[in-house]
Amino acid sequence: MSAGTALAQTAPAADDQAAPAAPTPQVDEQDSSDEIVVKGFRASLGSALNAKRNEASAIDMIKAEDIADFPDNNLAESLQRVPGVSINRVGGEGRAITVRGLSGSFTRVRVNGMEAQAISGATTSDRGINTGRGFDFNVFASELFNNLVVRKTADAETIEGSLGATVDLNVARPFDYKDFTLAIGAQAGYNTLAKNVDPKLTALVSNTWDTGIGRIGVLASAAYSRRDYYEDQFGSGGWNPATVDGGFCSPVGVTPVSPALNPAQGTTATDCVAGVPRPAANDTNYGLVNRSTVFLPRLPRYGRFHHDQKRLGLTGSVQWEPAPGIEIGGDVLYSDYKVFREENWLEGFSFARAIASPNFGKPQTAIREAILREAGVSHTQGANFGQTVYDIDYGVFDGVDVRSDTQYDRFRSRFTQYTLHGNFDVTDTLRMTLLAGKSRTDFDQTEQTTFLFGRNNTRQTIDFREDRNQPTIGYGFDVTDVAQYTLAPGSAEIRTAPSFVDNENRMIEGNFAWKAAEGFTVKGGLHVDRFDFSVTPYQRANNFLVPTLTTAQLAEVTKLVEGFGEGMREGVFPSSWVAIDYPAFAERYGLADYSGDFALIQNLGGTRKVREDIVSAFGQVDFDMRDTGLPVRGNVGMRYARTKLRSTGYSQSIQQFVTAEHQYEDWLPSVNLVADLTPKLLIRGAVAKVITRPELGFLSPGANVVISGTPSINSGNPTLEPIRATTYDAAIEWYFAPNSLLSAAYFRKDIKSYIQNQALQQTFAQTGLPLSLLANSGLDPNVSVFTVNQARNTPGGPLEGFEINYQHAFTFLPGFLGNLGVLANYTHVKSTITYYLAASSANTTERDLLGLSRDAFNGTLYYEDSKLSARISGSYRGPYIIALPANNPLQDLEGVDKSLIFDASVSYQLTDKIKLTFEGLNLFDRRYRQYIDSDRDSTFVYSHTGAQFYLGAQFRF
């Protein structure tokens, strides 16, 4: 919904009525049965605080004015304003959330009261397609929704499955508005790196009528946006010990000889490869570098990404009130998220390859110059434990195979949801509610191609001495001259990996609320849910089957990447280089329709299906003792859930699909208490047992072998039990002034069980899998190291932390200063989980949960009068782990560095109906950094996308 649109809300039922069992709390501005109107940012804050105050459970809410007026591209960026909520960014835009340190897989998301899942894709370093339980919020525009509610404590009537929080996303409905409402907004967006203008449009129309069959309301809304922008980055492709993949070429006379003498491959006693002499007999660089304690980037490279995304959202809602106390309605939500992304890299390819045909790698590379940077003492178990480790700081290498690497992605994610709801006041003391719905996500990645071609046996220079995040990288040839490149077998590779992900939720539930006595309401209900999930990926049979092109033919299907490096350190890299013109090549050689040599086969190892059938029921008593003189209210209840699982996956060992079944049940008690010590001061307490079901990717009974990128073997486990925990929450809240709050909360989660992959670094030969799985890969089974992962239930550990929240409207200040206000919150979390690094239970480490940032804060300073509304916001998130162990040998983990992002918003009410708006996102173009290894802290990815600005107008009638 566009900014400036008013919401009409009706006060909650009086005390002599049963409270509704609705997915979101009723909200009012004051203790009155009169209809009120929420208008303006300050008023929306007050309404959200009132909802928080009246709830027995711990919640935080963002109202529609709050959403639309914050400078946000999508729902994730709106939610990061909530205390305890942080976000993961992809391409400079929010994608997923964490709540109190728990990642998106621990958070359950309901849309219009029904659990749903949204899926988007990402780059490889950003973990690619979401095939887990996490919700990708970037699929939706924030303008579509009336309010967002984050439920931080569990109660029996809220569906199970969340260890972190339950997030409710609710679209607007016609009865939210008093009269006919029409709102239209238009903005033009400008990005400082891409330097282009993109549109953003919103519209809402709603009306209600009193008819002979009762009150009827109809609402429709739409939001459309496009972002066409660039991302420039340095990427290492991970870091490897120098000795991995066979090590570097040994000097003359050094034994053992590396690589082994093979005249057919150009390797002799004097040459690493034809045209690349071995280092001299007295050379010291080989001995300095070629050790397990020395690390080098696998794919030292810079890249220019082109993102083009289109986001369309539509909602429709109908409500009918045939008689007082009866309300029936239906909602439709549709989202269409289309993304095109092209990544263009220029990289040293040999550092990531062993001596295997048709790509001869690191052993044929000679070290000419080397300076190391001492990077601390390794605490990773293995060969380097307790030893001083080093990163390459400066190096000159000959015999490097350089590749122009283009990844071409095109995907579309469509989300559709239909829900029907009914609220029935059967008697003065009994209310019944019904909810039924179906939601579906279709994710179609129709194109996902990695195209590599280049020049073999050239020179590459890598220099980190001035900046560890932005090294200077040079080459021994003119990278803009297409005649210097070759596209032929031995110097090229074309990988294709289209993928299709579908999920569908169908549910029905019925609840009742019976006012048994003054201050006591008995609730109960039954919920039935079926969830179907499937992944169907495809691939080429042979990635190394490529045509041989002459220089003239290559010139016809290539282009120049131009303009790279603005905002980077000057001179770090060529601003232009030759890259494949993907559409031209695809059309000419059959890649566009996957014909001929580019015919696809199904990736059976990655194909899997999951069906979950869940039946749950609850009983709960809500109580309010304040009329008796005891200032206590709350709820106590029990939820029962039975989960039946049927999963299918492909077993490589028997070359066929297998299906497994599993079942488990849980009894989940909960208590929420609130003591209103004074009219302005209250304390809260809550205890509950909760569960989070296993990640979908863990449940396949098959195994998958990945031979491109970082080689890995992933084996599922369909008999996993859920993650179970007991949670404790306590809070004190002081509503010391209108629209103001000072609160502190403590939370603890005793995680009884956890699920994790136990990873082991092995050569392929050591896994015992058939060598036929490496067909056409060129990998040596006795040399190439794989990361072998299998999911298992493991012991958990405690998570605890505290939250401080401060909101203050400075109405006490004189003059215009009384229009100022501030929002600020800080969250600190710590956890201890034992991670198993190998099959042996003795090989462990204690670390924070994946995705947990120990510290996070958000702050907003705002000003609002009758015409002008302005605010600036800052969001900080501390570093967090994204993979443990790391996907590269002898390193403990991969993580994301701390970040501090500033946004701003200004609007001016030109007339009663027209508002002008200006918004700025990531005002200072803050960089995004991933790292590998907690001791060395080596840069994995370092990127920026530019600052984003929007200028627009909104019309409301």
Side-chain angles (χ1 to χ4, degrees), residues 219-546:
L219 177 148
S221 71
Y224 172 82
S225 65
R226 179 177 182 178
R227 288 190 70 209
D228 189 356
Y229 63 101
Y230 293 138
E231 179 181 359
D232 285 354
Q233 70 170 241
F234 163 71
S236 67
W239 290 64
N240 270 344
T243 51
V244 164
D245 292 323
F248 288 94
C249 181
S250 59
V252 174
V254 170
T255 56
V257 177
S258 176
L261 304 184
N262 188 337
Q265 296 178 353
T267 301
T268 67
T270 58
D271 288 338
C272 302
V273 67
V276 181
R278 289 182 181 271
N282 59 351
D283 186 274
T284 59
N285 289 306
Y286 178 79
L288 176 70
V289 174
N290 204 64
R291 298 176 288 161
S292 68
T293 53
V294 177
F295 291 80
L296 298 94
R298 288 181 63 249
L299 296 168
R301 59 188 183 175
Y302 277 94
R304 156 62 60 90
F305 293 10
H306 177 203
H307 301 263
D308 187 356
Q309 61 187 41
K310 300 173 184 177
R311 185 187 288 112
L312 171 66
L314 303 171
T315 75
S317 182
V318 177
Q319 287 179 287
W320 175 37
E321 189 180 51
I326 300 176
E327 187 261 322
I328 301 170
D331 300 301
V332 177
L333 173 62
Y334 174 78
S335 175
D336 191 353
Y337 183 52
K338 298 179 182 178
V339 174
F340 157 77
R341 181 179 62 248
E342 184 176 281
E343 306 174 27
N344 286 296
W345 303 92
L346 191 63
E347 62 198 17
F349 198 62
S350 296
F351 299 96
R353 286 280 171 166
I355 187 77
S357 176
N359 288 282
F360 302 106
K362 187 189 293 185
Q364 291 185 337
T365 300
I367 309 167
R368 301 303 187 201
E369 298 180 45
I371 299 174
L372 305 183
R373 182 186 63 82
E374 187 174 320
V377 175
S378 175
H379 291 87
T380 302
Q381 296 188 35
N384 290 344
F385 185 80
Q387 297 192 57
T388 301
V389 287
Y390 305 85
D391 276 359
I392 191 75
D393 211 23
Y394 170 76
V396 179
F397 305 88
D398 281 340
V400 177
D401 297 343
V402 172
R403 296 289 180 264
S404 178
D405 179 343
T406 296
Q407 182 166 311
Y408 193 90
D409 269 349
R410 191 180 298 274
F411 69 78
R412 182 181 188 184
S413 183
R414 287 168 291 177
F415 177 91
T416 308
Q417 185 193 70
Y418 308 92
T419 55
L420 295 173
H421 66 270
N423 299 311
F424 308 93
D425 290 339
V426 181
T427 69
D428 289 344
T429 60
L430 178 64
R431 165 170 282 199
M432 296 188 67
T433 64
L434 296 174
L435 178 65
K438 175 181 177 180
S439 69
R440 181 176 178 86
T441 296
D442 296 294
F443 179 91
D444 299 331
Q445 188 170 39
T446 54
E447 295 179 84
Q448 206 285 327
T449 302
T450 301
F451 199 117
L452 302 101
F453 71 102
R455 178 184 176 95
N456 290 344
N457 301 326
T458 187
R459 170 166 288 194
Q460 182 166 12
T461 302
I462 311 170
D463 189 349
F464 288 91
R465 290 175 295 182
E466 287 192 38
D467 191 330
R468 291 185 58 212
N469 297 317
Q470 301 178 77
T472 300
I473 299 178
Y475 300 95
F477 66 101
D478 181 358
V479 298
T480 65
D481 181 6
V482 68
Q484 302 296 313
Y485 296 81
T486 301
L487 200 166
S491 64
E493 182 180 353
I494 302 174
R495 311 168 191 159
T496 58
S499 189
F500 301 86
V501 183
D502 298 306
N503 66 54
E504 184 175 273
N505 279 77
R506 285 163 286 179
M507 62 82 69
I508 185 169
E509 69 176 26
N511 301 321
F512 73 88
W514 172 50
K515 184 176 175 60
E518 191 65 32
F520 290 89
T521 299
V522 177
K523 296 180 177 180
L526 179 67
H527 176 98
V528 179
D529 193 302
R530 168 166 283 185
F531 173 57
D532 285 301
F533 169 84
S534 67
V535 181
T536 309
Y538 293 86
Q539 63 186 18
R540 296 184 68 197
N542 183 356
N543 294 332
F544 298 97
L545 184 61
V546 299

Side-chain angles (χ1 to χ4, degrees), residues 703-745:
N704 183 33
V705 178
V706 178
I707 59 176
S708 60
T710 301
S712 62
I713 299 170
N714 299 287
S715 177
N717 185 351
T719 63
L720 289 171
E721 293 289 306
I723 297 173
R724 296 183 170 98
T726 302
T727 64
Y728 307 88
D729 294 82
I732 183 168
E733 299 170 5
W734 180 31
Y735 298 85
F736 58 89
N739 299 334
S740 301
L741 166 69
L742 177 61
S743 67

Side-chain angles (χ1 to χ4, degrees), residues 569-587:
R569 190 169 59 83
E570 187 173 352
V572 296
F573 199 69
S575 62
S576 183
W577 64 90
V578 173
I580 199 71
D581 184 339
Y582 180 85
F585 180 93
E587 185 65 31

